[in-house]
Amino acid sequence: MTLHREPMANVDHAWLRMDDPTSLMMITGVITFAEPLSYEQVCQVIEERLLTFDRFKQRVSMSHSSLASACWEDDPHFDMEEHLRRATLPAPGDQQSLEQLASRLMSIPLNPIRPLWQFHLIEDYQGGSALVARLHHCIADGLALVAVLLSLTDAAQSSPLASPPSAPSPPTPQGRLVRAVRTAQSLTNDIVHESLVAARDPRRVIDIARLGGAGVARLVQILLRTPDPQTLFKGPLGIAKQAAWSQPIALQDVKAVARVMGGTINDVLLTAVAGGLRSYMIQRGEPVDGLNFHAVIPVNLRPLDEPLTLGNKFGLVFLTLPIGIADPVERLEALKAHMDALKNSPEALAIFGLLNVVGMGPVEIENLLVTIFGTKATGVMTNVPGPREQLSLAGSPLRDVMFWVPQSGRVGLGVSIISYNGKVLVGVATDSGLVPDPESIVAGYEQSFAEMMALLSMVRADGQVAPEVAAAPARVARCQATTRSGSRCRNRALAGAAYCRVHTPAD
């Protein structure tokens, strides 16, 4: 029997070879549903939609040559029961129980002799169901895989997507994939790319030899960069991982805070995450004064006007997180400055080129890349824009969606931000030996965002978030008055004013 084979792209091969028992290159997702789903229903959807993409019926065939890339080949023994399994949660079957299941599955590698994906269905979760999905990074990057999973869904009856008669999505898997990715990409101005645009023309992403002087110089800068400081988030990794996620917050509240504080949605969320990391370190008795460390952030390099395909087409940048700044306004200003410095940077292109080289080179080059990630950064942070509208799968509405990308380069901290249906969730995945309680980081993030929400009271005396807040581009600022000791007043000014309620220009 002759099996269909096709070579694996160099960049995809790089992610395959970075797999390690202590750092699995696997994207993990958790989707919860408002109504029960049966195994047979999910199985039918997978067969009719997911399996029409050949990649999900193909396994990896490794070459005996260390320099040769791997190949995709049809799995002659494909068995749906190996890829869709039933799971149950221990009592009381709450979110913590689901987090524990996701943590356990996040720590288990996929079967290398089968197609590199697997779903676990919990048929009775909080009156509905839950689905834990695991997909290897060599299949595609996060944006593509989220779009593939969303292609399994339909617009809910109440969703505007269900009604436009003029231009319905094509009734094909590729059509659903195009619809899903366009829906996701429509949020890029709100979430990911509103503050981070690495390449004006991603079509020029080819290989490291054609990066140009600026790209090569940037790559050299990364290689020579001082390693991140040693903190509780860094150290030898174990196999066990832990996952936790936040309660959803309204996207309109994030937008309101962003307008008041003078940043972007992305700035606000990352500032709150940095606040959560700061509070966790303080709880553990770790010094934070003046502390900065880096987060690796994926940057999409796909042209938004071209059809989405599988595979990895993204670069990486290193964002400085100002953990040492206690005040949320000052922390946002510092983070925004670091983020703005990355705009139009060739850094993402340079690392994409390096990944291309790694995928076709010897293991020594791969180890170099792992060293870059592991020493120059402390964590991986990603934003995945999801649909604005309510979706459903087999008639059951999607309640919440959460995904984690792998912690590339043997780092022990991963943070994921995803928006869906007007809500934002933040998830934290950690190495159990370094951070056994990521839920504490999540709690710190929620508290940090609550502190920023409190600043809205300076725009409205009653402290309520109102539509006019979102329409008013006010900015929180420091009071310009000088105290008797000669230092600057630490109070914040009213929106649009130069002085706080205590001081006046005469002061």
Side-chain angles (χ1 to χ4, degrees), residues 80 229 242 288 321 385:
M80 174 65 79
Q242 292 291 330
V288 297
L321 297 178

Side-chain angles (χ1 to χ4, degrees), residues 249-468:
I249 59 175
L251 185 58
Q252 67 177 8
D253 287 350
V254 186
K255 290 181 178 179
V257 172
R259 286 182 171 89
V260 169
M261 295 183 69
T264 66
I265 293 175
N266 196 50
D267 295 335
V268 169
L269 293 171
L270 289 176
T271 297
V273 168
L277 296 173
R278 172 187 170 85
S279 65
Y280 183 79
M281 293 186 68
I282 292 174
Q283 291 172 19
R284 296 275 294 266
E286 294 285 320
V288 297
D289 291 345
L291 176 65
N292 293 309
F293 54 66
H294 293 90
V296 176
I297 296 184
V299 179
N300 177 43
L301 296 178
R302 299 170 182 271
L304 300 184
D305 58 350
E306 292 186 1
L308 183 82
T309 57
L310 297 179
N312 289 275
K313 297 181 181 178
F314 71 98
L316 300 167
V317 295
F318 289 74
L319 174 67
T320 302
L321 297 178
I323 304 298
I325 300 178
D327 183 87
V329 177
E330 293 181 359
R331 192 188 316 129
L332 182 141
E333 290 174 346
L335 186 143
K336 177 177 173 57
H338 295 311
M339 185 72 85
D340 289 345
L342 292 173
K343 289 181 178 180
N344 302 314
S345 164
E347 187 163 301
L349 295 173
I351 295 181
F352 181 89
L354 182 58
L355 285 167
N356 206 21
V357 171
V358 166
M360 61 183 179
V363 175
E364 288 75 16
I365 297 181
E366 175 192 345
N367 292 337
L368 172 63
L369 183 64
V370 171
T371 299
I372 293 174
F373 291 159
T375 62
K376 314 297 183 182
T378 297
V380 176
M381 295 187 181
T382 183
N383 291 349
V384 178
R388 288 187 175 96
E389 297 85 0
Q390 176 78 59
L391 299 179
S392 65
L393 190 149
S396 180
L398 273 67
R399 182 184 291 154
D400 291 315
V401 182
M402 190 67 247
F403 289 92
W404 294 271
V405 298
Q407 282 78 268
S408 318
R410 317 292 192 265
V411 298
L413 172 67
V415 177
S416 296
I417 302 170
I418 185 165
S419 63
Y420 163 64
N421 194 25
K423 300 177 293 184
V424 178
L425 273 76
V426 170
V428 178
T430 60
D431 182 86
S432 297
L434 298 176
V435 179
D437 52 346
E439 64 276 6
S440 297
I441 298 176
V442 170
Y445 149 78
E446 292 173 335
Q447 178 60 36
S448 181
F449 181 76
E451 292 173 0
M452 289 190 284
M453 279 289 292
L455 298 177
L456 294 177
S457 64
M458 299 164 55
V459 179
R460 284 280 301 272
D462 58 7
Q464 298 300 307
V465 181
E468 55 265 31

